[in-house]
Amino acid sequence: MIRHLHAFLCSFENDLQHYGYTCASALSQILDPHELAEHMMDELICISWNTDMSEHAFIQTSVQSVLYFELFGKALERMTDHRDWMLFLPFLANYVQRTWTCIESIIRDHSVFYCEDAPNFWNQAIILHASSVLDLIEFIHSRTVITSVSEFPIHTTDIGLENGDAKRRYLAYYLHMLLHEMVFLNVDMDLSKTYYDLYHPKYNIQRSKQGNRSSTKREHFPLLEVICRSANIASLHGMTFIRMCQLKRQLDENEKILGKDAHMFNDDSQIINSRLYPIDFHGIATLISMSMYDRYIYPAVFHCKSSHLMPTVLSSMWIGKEYTGIMLNLLLGSPELVCHIDKCIFFLLYLGDDIDTQFHFEDIEKKMKGPLGKENEFSSMKCIEILSSVASTCPNSSIRFLCFQLIKRALELGDDEVRVFCLMEFLDRCPYVSMKTAAISLLKDQIDRSYTQYDKEKIQSVFITPFVYDKFFKVIFNVKDTWMKSTSHAEFWDDYSYIMQGLNMYLFLLIRDKKHNLVMNSFSLS
């Protein structure tokens, strides 16, 4: 009978959809819950997903999937034996994982955070999927777990050895983190630009793809309700990024000590453990950015209360030391993944605004906590190197601009020795001409800033001494032999911006130093 209702449920007529859903819901209350669950298992297994689906096929398949998923949930609601939950919940978790892995590229290509018109079928289907999983997460937390959030063993070394309540709550955490990793991470929310416009109103960067997002009407943000609901559930059930990161690191450390093979034979008997359902650092990185969105952007844009997902007592310096490595992983992928890069840049902008501690040369070589790629530790300089790569290769102009602002802010926080080292790294070793060109502009800013401080307070700086010529000019004006060859004009024009920026800085320095004569002696002697 449920199969016969499929045509009504997949209809684009709202009335027919409503009638079909009402009939299916009524049937779910009559049928035996175990038989209904087993039947829904068979139906869900038969659903196939592929990335080449048309919009029409995607919404129809999604409606069918969500309906069977919900009927499965209604069967679970009528079960009270924890053994039934341990039998059926892992199947649903596996189905969610398989489905979202198949449609991840669809989410990335077609999800829209802001739209002035009604959401298209792509977006409607994605909202359906996310909402149905949030229903399951709420069910697991509220109906299958008796113990409180504070009793969850956050310091455990093996979830598989814990009791049923802990395993089921962990499964809810896993599904919620999967929602962040597969859905929220792949939605281009334009967080970095929105944050920068709010807290740095001097600049106004327009994104050609999405247009102006100045609207504060909630109906223009179709995914907003899902995101807010997710934040409320996470806050209510203790899924903060601090706890999730602590749990993930603890489980990974134990895995390294014992090795995966030592536990493989237990997976079938344990049913739920961190090897079968691993939390990923990309999900944690997304949770961090969504927690910051909930605190700094959502209340300011929509004039609503936050979910308090991010504690207010945290030190920005501590956050930077603990989580910068995790966030930088979002920059290591393809430069085309603007939705990933944006969330990390948002995080770094927040740190840049809130940290006002001067760094010395020995600080940039100190190790910070990872993981970053395959490294468990990394230096602060690695962060600047990654930013310079994104600033040079990302196709999005506002991301490139914000990366440049972050590098500029990093230089402001360093002393003269740090600034000289970083600028020389850019000018002498960076493979990207665009970054070398930007480095000349950064050098000019440092020189101008040093002259200003000297005029006001007579503060000395290495950037207004003959050192500028001795160290920087020989690198900037290192003329390539190929520029002189008649057959290599193309390479000269490729470097034209760099050459002109160098000449511009030379002229600027001559004009700026005319009154002080602090650097000019180097030129005259040369």
Side-chain angles (χ1 to χ4, degrees), residues 23 99 181 193 268 340 371 409 424 480 485:
C23 292
T99 300
E181 178 189 349
K193 174 192 177 298
D268 289 339
H340 293 201
R409 176 59 178 162
M424 282 303 299
K480 296 181 181 178
K485 297 178 181 178

Side-chain angles (χ1 to χ4, degrees), residues 7 50 88 117 141 264 301 323 414 429 436 471 478 499 505:
N50 64 77
F88 292 117
D117 303 319
H141 280 304
M264 291 297 289
V301 172
Y323 304 110
R429 294 182 178 85
K436 289 175 178 284
K471 191 73 174 177
N478 183 19
I499 297 167
M505 196 204 73

Side-chain angles (χ1 to χ4, degrees), residues 296-308:
Y296 293 103
I297 296 180
Y298 175 67
V301 172
F302 297 100
H303 308 292
C304 298
K305 291 183 179 179
S306 76
S307 301
H308 304 291

Side-chain angles (χ1 to χ4, degrees), residues 368-476:
M368 297 175 66
K369 189 177 293 187
L372 177 56
K374 296 182 180 180
E375 300 175 5
N376 291 323
E377 295 180 324
F378 65 100
S379 66
S380 303
M381 192 61 202
K382 184 72 173 179
C383 176
I384 298 177
E385 290 172 2
I386 294 173
L387 273 177
S388 67
S389 176
V390 174
S392 304
T393 60
C394 184
N396 186 276
S397 59
S398 69
I399 292 292
R400 294 196 303 272
F401 168 80
L402 292 173
C403 285
F404 180 81
Q405 295 301 313
L406 284 169
I407 294 171
K408 184 177 179 180
R409 176 59 178 162
L411 292 178
E412 289 174 358
L413 292 174
D415 60 15
D416 276 1
E417 190 177 7
V418 171
R419 294 170 192 166
V420 168
F421 177 77
C422 292
L423 289 170
M424 282 303 299
E425 287 290 304
F426 292 143
L427 291 168
D428 199 27
R429 294 182 178 85
C430 183
Y432 303 107
V433 175
S434 59
M435 194 61 231
K436 289 175 178 284
T437 305
I440 297 176
S441 177
L442 290 170
L443 175 59
K444 187 168 75 171
D445 288 341
Q446 297 302 320
I447 293 171
D448 183 55
R449 179 184 175 188
S450 298
Y451 274 118
T452 302
Q453 291 178 333
Y454 181 79
D455 289 338
K456 290 181 178 180
E457 304 173 32
K458 297 300 179 183
I459 297 176
Q460 293 287 346
S461 169
V462 71
F463 290 100
I464 49 174
T465 67
F467 179 85
V468 172
Y469 171 78
D470 297 332
K471 191 73 174 177
F472 290 106
F473 271 55
K474 292 178 181 179
V475 176
I476 294 173

Side-chain angles (χ1 to χ4, degrees), residues 136-165:
L136 176 60
I137 292 168
E138 281 195 298
F139 169 77
I140 295 174
H141 280 304
S142 60
R143 294 285 299 277
T144 74
V145 180
I146 299 174
T147 57
S148 66
V149 171
S150 61
E151 294 178 78
F152 179 79
I154 201 71
H155 299 289
T156 183
T157 57
D158 191 343
I159 286 293
L161 299 178
E162 302 296 334
N163 60 35
D165 274 7

Side-chain angles (χ1 to χ4, degrees), residues 42 71 86 114 291 412 514:
D42 294 337
L71 291 176
M86 295 301 285
Y114 170 81
S291 300
E412 289 174 358
K514 189 174 182 179

